[in-house]
Amino acid sequence: MILHCVFLRFKAALQAADKQEIFEAVAVLKAVIPGMVDVKFGPNVSPEGLNGGFVDGFVVTFEDAAARDAYLVHPEHVAVGDRIVAALDGGLSGLLVFDMIV
């Protein structure tokens, strides 16, 4: 399995409802893209203060690397990804992606 961890620095003006809509759009992809096993999202709750300004995020669990790779180029994921980048402080610089095998 692959954990696809995405950490975000949303624009300060973005409302909580807008963040929720973005996260729900990611979750909807599970019904559209084969191999997506689970989606979790929410704010950082770590007390350590080591988040580097990334205060929100989501994690997608994939069956395998092939499912993750199909997700990356899927048109509906690309559309949601464009929406996410537009909502981030600094565009792509407001995004951190980390994948791991579990």
Side-chain angles (χ1 to χ4, degrees):
M1 295 186 105
I2 299 284
L3 282 184
H4 177 68
C5 308
V6 181
F7 306 107
L8 308 163
R9 279 194 307 245
F10 284 116
K11 293 176 181 175
L14 195 70
Q15 300 296 314
D18 296 322
K19 290 181 189 181
Q20 185 67 26
E21 286 178 13
I22 288 171
F23 289 137
E24 288 173 4
V26 172
V28 165
L29 295 175
K30 183 179 170 198
V32 177
I33 302 174
M36 285 181 72
V37 176
D38 192 30
V39 178
K40 303 262 191 254
F41 53 84
N44 175 38
V45 295
S46 173
E48 295 178 290
L50 300 173
N51 62 338
F54 293 93
V55 296
D56 293 283
F58 61 91
V59 177
V60 180
T61 305
F62 292 99
E63 290 177 352
D64 53 29
R68 185 264 328 265
D69 294 349
Y71 158 89
L72 293 176
V73 297
H74 193 284
E76 292 196 39
H77 166 257
V78 171
V80 172
D82 288 345
R83 182 176 173 192
I84 291 169
V85 171
L88 298 178
D89 185 22
L92 283 176
S93 68
L95 178 72
L96 175 68
V97 177
F98 190 96
D99 289 358
M100 28 183 187
I101 297 171
V102 294

